[in-house]
């Protein structure tokens, strides 16, 4: 089969053998926003046309390709959502002479205040790690929009999104806090200062201005201030998210997963980092539920 | 005398009679960032040269004109700070043949976590309203960087800054939340929904994503979503700031003061809106402490 993780800014395809092992992979900066005039079939053929010509299939996709701006909208499935329920809502798309692919739907839920929340792509990653989890588990997928997903008995029971990554990026690029920030590796000590700060009174809006004031007073080096801001934001996220979860399963890019691991450790919580290639395994799981062709 | 409130983006000058009444005023979008090569004396003469030529004086200024990027840096005075202590640190600048002006210093303090905080310009506004306050009072100056100032016995005792206004602007201009936002007047009902939301669990980072998700589900009109975001941010600010102050004195632009009035009312707190022209009266108060010339 062919598994494709197709997001806003990137395209990642995997060719798998009958047992689900990856035999080949391709990646390109060809997110759905880079595809003009809805020419998704052509974009895909440009990347994996040789696999398709060789008769490889079925083709399953997840991510923003199933959004309103993607190839075909695959409506959100309500929580609690099992692999079967998600697979039942795979959207079929076709092209050319007999080309067929399936797009995974997103998942939605409502929090205690009745406000909706959505994910698209992460549900497939979670399905890919279900076999590694106990019956009840919290998974954190850090990123632009961090997801905290509660799994119960093989279902996505509920989740919350935190705008941590996007807020970090915009504060850095577009506010007074970014003016003094320099690029560089994460400074673990300064990151920890940010984490500790998030536990103090005053609230996030006040803590943010402190990044500026500490810089002004020479108490925060320009090279380290991004690490402090990162610790501050992640610290606030951790306080709000799944505070009762003693163990958190981390699923994300290695650098980000390492930062969240340090942050969880800082507040006395245990974390287990999972293999970030989970989307492929989630698509393999969904493929089992496809109608016989 | 001439009182000048000279900030980052605007220049406001007032000509006062001997009793401190305003007899003329000038304003221009000539903030310190618009003045090239440190030519502040010329910029000022371009605005109020006729007043100066007529022998009006003394000239007192407050705001970012006293920052490192301004005419001459006037170092921060530590809290608690009285009018006398602030006046004692007025910075003298001179130009041409006998031109002299005085620049007010900012004020700084440290919060319970030892993190510094700063204001520059707001201290002069607070001095301008001292006569209207009881011995102990909380003043809120909403804006790009909202200030909450605790006054005790005629001194600026302590304060905290919240990055509320700048965060609102950057979220709107540069994140996914802004994509659906339309210009328009504040929608009081939707603003109140944002305030109410700020009291629910989940934390600000989660609440922010809810703005997006509500829009996606058609539960928040594009024309009203900026009001919701504003209510959300101001609500979070109010929960963190001076939660023990039963009465809050508001000092700011009318629209913003009205929004904070509604927000305070929403959480059962009383507010009194003060005259926003306070900077002038603060400069008049400082002028009383000038050395005899």
């Amino acid at each position: 089969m062919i598994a494709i993780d197709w997001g806003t800014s990137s395209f990642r395809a995997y060719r798998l053998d009958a047992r689900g092992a990856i035999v080949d992979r391709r990646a390109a900066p060809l997110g759905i926003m880079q595809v003009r005039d809805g020419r998704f079939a052509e974009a895909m053929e440009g990347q994996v046309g040789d696999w398709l010509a060789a008769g490889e299939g079925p083709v399953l996709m997840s991510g923003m390709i199933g959004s309103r701006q993607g190839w075909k909208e695959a409506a959100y499935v309500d929580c609690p959502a099992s692999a079967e329920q998600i697979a039942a809502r795979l959207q079929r798309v076709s092209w050319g002479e007999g080309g067929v692919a399936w797009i995974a739907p997103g998942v939605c839920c409502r929090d205690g205040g009745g406000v909706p929340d959505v994910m698209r792509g992460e549900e497939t990653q979670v399905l890919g790690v279900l076999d590694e989890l106990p019956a009840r588990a919290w998974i954190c997928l850090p990123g632009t929009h961090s997801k905290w997903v509660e799994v119960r008995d093989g279902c996505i029971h509920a989740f919350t999104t935190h705008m941590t990554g996007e807020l970090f990026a915009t504060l850095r690029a577009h506010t007074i806090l970014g003016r003094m920030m320099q690029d560089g590796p994460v400074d673990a000590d300064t990151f920890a200062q940010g984490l500790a700060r998030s536990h103090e009174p005053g609230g996030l809006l006040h803590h943010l201005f402190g990044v500026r004031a500490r810089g002004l007073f020479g108490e925060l080096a320009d090279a380290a201030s991004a690490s402090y801001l990162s610790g501050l934001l992640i610290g606030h996220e951790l306080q709000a998210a799944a505070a009762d979860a003693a163990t958190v399963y981390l699923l994300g890019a290695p650098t980000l997963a390492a930062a969240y691991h340090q942050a969880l450790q800082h507040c006395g919580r245990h974390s287990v980092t999972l293999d970030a290639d989970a989307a492929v395994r989630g698509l393999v799981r969904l493929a089992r539920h496809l109608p016989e062709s």
Side-chain angles (χ1 to χ4, degrees), chain A residues 1-4 14-21 23 44 48-61 93 95 98-102 283-284 286-288 290-293:
Chain A
M1 66 172 281
I2 298 173
I4 301 175
Y14 305 83
R15 188 175 186 178
L16 308 166
D17 66 19
R19 290 169 308 177
V23 294
M44 182 182 62
V48 296
D50 53 337
W51 298 352
L52 293 166
E56 190 70 79
V59 181
L60 280 95
M61 310 181 193
V93 290
W95 70 95
V100 170
W102 300 88
L283 288 167
V284 170
L286 288 175
R288 287 186 216 147
L290 276 183
E292 298 293 324
S293 56

Side-chain angles (χ1 to χ4, degrees), chain A residues 9-32:
Chain A
S9 55
S10 70
F11 172 98
R12 289 192 191 85
Y14 305 83
R15 188 175 186 178
L16 308 166
D17 66 19
R19 290 169 308 177
I22 297 169
V23 294
D24 200 0
R25 61 173 77 203
R26 307 260 166 86
L30 184 69
I32 65 161

Side-chain angles (χ1 to χ4, degrees), chain A residues 1 18 32 35 155 191:
Chain A
M1 66 172 281
I32 65 161
V35 176
C155 283
F191 179 75

